[in-house]
Each structure stands twice: as structure tokens, then as C-alpha cells.
Amino acid sequence: METQLTGPWRIAPDVVLVPVIEPAAAGYAHVNSMVITGREPVIVDTGAAEHRERWTEDVFSVVEPRDVRWIFLSHDDPDHAGNLEVALEMCPDATLVTGSPPRPGRGFVPPPGRTRRIADDESFDAGDRRLTAVRPPLYDAPATRGLYDDRSGVYWAADCFGAGTPVATADAGDLPMEDYLEAVRAFGAGLSPWHRWLDPRIFGRHVDRLAAMEIIAIASAHGPTATGDRVARVIGAVRGLAGRSDPG
Ligand SMILES: [Fe+2]
Ligand SMILES: [Fe+2]
């Protein structure tokens, strides 16, 4: 199978996607993270523990651990928080920003004095940019927050906009448009089964919020990154999921 874009990829001047793409039952599965390399560098999600060696190598080829000021955790699932402790240890000046409360038995203990809770729609200042927590329309943990960077226009969608890919690539532009959109629909339908019960008008408001933002790229933990005209098209694909399946 042809291998395409699989290493750290600068998707905007100060934003680097850190992909981990592995063969799956059908095609390839993604467990991605991201680094914002601005004045106050931010690690966005920390991947899975099983990828620790590669993850630390790739992330810290992009940013020096001592320079990292923020670690944004979209939610505390192990494929996002898997290297959180290591990252906090390696980056002594980083503050953890997350909407996820500590949950007993999850192994996720926000370090005292180094954690800032963030509500949906709340922003924080990262030196040369304002980062805003924007909950994606589809998620598998209610405390999930995506992250919008107003300077680059990149939106980190956490689990939303995931998609299995027939080739190992981090760039949705390598896939035919319709194949990509259908893969996003299929992933989203499995991710948030409750989308079936949602009133399309209510669900639509969450999608409208994204559609109204100036987004140049949507990066997902579990799929290739959408840029260019794929941004609006993939938001439209997710919008179409509301009410698509029968309740029950
Ligand atoms: Fe998740
Ligand atoms: Fe995930």
C-alpha cells in the first residue's frame, strides 16, 4: 500500500500535526496529536501510551520540552491522555488545560497548581494567539473540548471528523472527496451513537458554530486533516448525521 504523509506535518505556519497512522482492519487508523509552535508553545493531546517512544520523538522534534507552556487535553480517554504524565514531566513549565474533571480509576490526576479547567467557549491567551475551547458536534466523552486557534485558523476537533483511510496519509486531500466524506460520516456515526436522538435543529446549532468560524484546517485525532474546500464539505457531512438513523 502506498505510504504518503505520515510524519509531523506543518499544516499552518505555527501548527504541526503529529500523526500516528497504523494499519487497521480495513485500511489505516489514526491516533494524532498536534503542536502549536507560537510564542507560548502548546501540545494538543498526548496520544496513546503504546506509541510513547514515537510520540515523544516526534513531538519533541518539533518543540523543545522546556519551551512548552501549555498542554491542552481534549478529554481523558487513553488515546488522548496516554502520554500526559510523561509530557508534564518533560515540560516542567507547562500548564495543563482541560475540561475533563479527574475521574477515579482513570489514572488521570490533574497535577495541583499546574491545571486550568476550561469551559466550552472559554478562551485562554497563549502569547501571540487566543485559543478557544469549542466542543465538537460529535464526541465520545461529554467533557470533550476541541481547540480553535484564532491566529492560524486551525481547529482541533478531538474525536470528531475522524475517518479510516485506505492509504497511510495525514492529508484528506490525498483521498477522493466523496470517499473522505463517507469515511467521516461512518466514523462519526459510530463515535456518538446519541446523534440519532438529536433534534437536527439543536445538533445543527453546534455545527453552525463551527461553520461560522474562520477555519482553514480541521485536524482530528482519528483522521486526516481537512484543508481548503474540504473544511466546509466535511462540516456539512457531519451536519447530515443528525437524525440519519432510527432511534433505538
Ligand atoms: Fe474519545
Ligand atoms: Fe479518541
Side-chain angles (χ1 to χ4, degrees), residues 18-221:
V18 180
V20 173
I21 304 173
E22 292 192 319
Y28 290 84
H30 301 233
V31 186
N32 305 325
S33 307
M34 201 171 82
V35 178
I36 300 173
T37 58
R39 197 179 301 153
E40 296 183 9
V42 188
I43 293 174
V44 182
D45 278 349
T46 66
E50 67 201 82
H51 304 136
R52 181 162 301 159
E53 200 173 322
R54 175 183 172 171
W55 186 86
T56 47
E57 203 172 289
D58 283 353
V59 166
F60 296 119
S61 72
V62 171
V63 66
E64 284 296 319
R66 286 225 150 250
D67 292 340
V68 176
R69 290 292 174 275
W70 307 96
I71 298 171
F72 177 82
L73 185 69
S74 65
H75 63 306
D76 64 358
D77 279 350
D79 53 332
H80 300 255
N83 299 304
L84 177 61
E85 277 180 9
V86 172
L88 284 163
E89 208 175 286
M90 291 181 72
C91 309
D93 294 328
T95 295
L96 171 65
V97 180
T98 185
S100 293
R103 288 198 275 170
R106 295 285 292 200
F108 170 61
V109 182
R114 292 183 66 188
T115 303
R116 179 167 165 177
R117 290 286 301 282
I118 192 161
D120 188 26
D121 216 20
E122 196 181 335
S123 299
F124 66 102
D125 200 318
D128 54 357
R129 66 202 60 227
R130 202 155 176 72
L131 301 172
T132 303
V134 177
R135 204 198 69 184
L138 300 171
Y139 48 84
D140 63 2
T144 298
R145 313 269 183 260
L147 191 70
Y148 177 66
D149 171 16
D150 74 342
R151 181 155 179 156
S152 68
V154 173
Y155 175 60
W156 175 254
D159 289 334
C160 195
F161 302 103
T165 52
V167 291
T169 182
D171 183 359
D174 287 338
L175 310 175
M177 179 75 87
E178 284 311 320
D179 294 359
Y180 168 57
L181 299 178
E182 192 45 44
V184 169
R185 286 186 202 103
F187 188 95
L191 177 71
S192 291
W194 50 83
H195 76 272
R196 299 172 196 159
W197 292 277
L198 288 175
D199 181 331
R201 287 165 300 182
I202 296 171
F203 180 72
R205 281 203 284 275
H206 292 291
V207 183
D208 287 344
R209 184 177 170 201
L210 282 193
M213 288 158 47
E214 280 182 43
I215 297 176
I216 62 114
I218 295 179
S220 168

